[in-house]
Amino acid sequence: MKIQFAMDTLTTEQALEWAAAAAPHVDILELGTPLIKSEGLRAVTAVKEAHPDKVVFADLKTMDAGALEAEIAFAAGADLVTVLGTADDSTIAGAVDVARRHGKGVVVDLIGVKDKAHRAQEVVELGAQLVEMHAGLDEQAQEGYSLDDLLTAGRASGVPFSVAGGVSASTVADVQAAGAQIAVAGGAIYSAEDIGAAAQALRAAVTVPA
């Protein structure tokens, strides 16, 4: 299982610092939506230039103009982009078409989708590389939130999926056991006093197949 570091900061400089510290222990560097809104796609370019060996994930959360937004993100250096699962099928298909032409990929983010398992199956049929079983920060802050709901949806979907929603070193083994291809961690890494050590601890908690 791969580890994705979601960098929810507002400056490119901070993202580069975080990425440098975590890169030895993660596979995918994600530029969070607030960062892209704050700094633009130049942040994507900067991170890709600094870490050409890493997969760079641009969390656009596209809701419309799928082809256009995918095109400009891939041109900036992104390897993966997100389209929202609540978007129209044509928006997802448009992004997928562009991704295929560039040899890149589209991840459909299921944040806010009620029946995640069903929608996951639909969007993979449209060509999504994988789906993200995602609960946002606002949802995580609500009483009764549980990561287990995302894991259950992932198992039920039967398609390639990642999990984002409070993943930490203490829960990443559960994410792996659920069959996720990618565990996405944000605050568990960047809120730590030592980002590199936190990323290393997350990696160490992932079981290596025999």
Side-chain angles (χ1 to χ4, degrees), residues 32-33 48 55 62 75 94 100 141 153 170 173:
T33 311
K48 187 62 178 180
V55 173
T62 294
R100 285 173 173 164
S170 64

Side-chain angles (χ1 to χ4, degrees), residues 92-194:
I92 297 170
V96 166
D97 180 61
V98 171
R100 285 173 173 164
R101 287 194 280 109
H102 286 275
K104 308 289 187 177
V106 171
V107 176
V108 173
D109 186 337
L110 298 178
I111 189 170
V113 173
K114 296 301 182 184
D115 190 344
K116 287 179 169 58
H118 178 69
R119 186 57 172 155
Q121 294 165 357
E122 291 180 335
V123 300
V124 167
E125 284 292 319
L126 293 171
Q129 183 166 316
L130 75 157
V131 299
E132 186 171 283
M133 299 297 173
H134 185 192
L137 296 175
D138 293 340
E139 184 178 349
Q140 292 176 48
Q142 294 177 19
E143 185 176 353
Y145 168 73
S146 172
L147 182 65
D148 290 342
D149 292 339
L150 300 181
L151 305 185
T152 298
R155 290 190 190 95
S157 71
V159 302
F161 70 96
S162 62
V163 175
V167 175
S168 66
S170 64
T171 60
V172 72
D174 294 332
V175 175
Q176 184 176 23
Q181 280 68 37
I182 300 168
V184 184
I189 297 176
Y190 64 69
S191 295
E193 185 173 342
D194 186 330

Side-chain angles (χ1 to χ4, degrees), residues 21-56:
H25 312 292
V26 303
D27 307 288
I28 303 168
L29 295 170
E30 175 188 336
L31 286 82
T33 311
L35 173 58
I36 294 175
K37 287 184 175 182
S38 176
E39 294 280 67
L41 290 172
R42 75 179 188 90
V44 174
T45 303
V47 170
K48 187 62 178 180
E49 288 179 348
H51 300 279
D53 59 323
K54 297 296 179 182
V55 173
V56 172

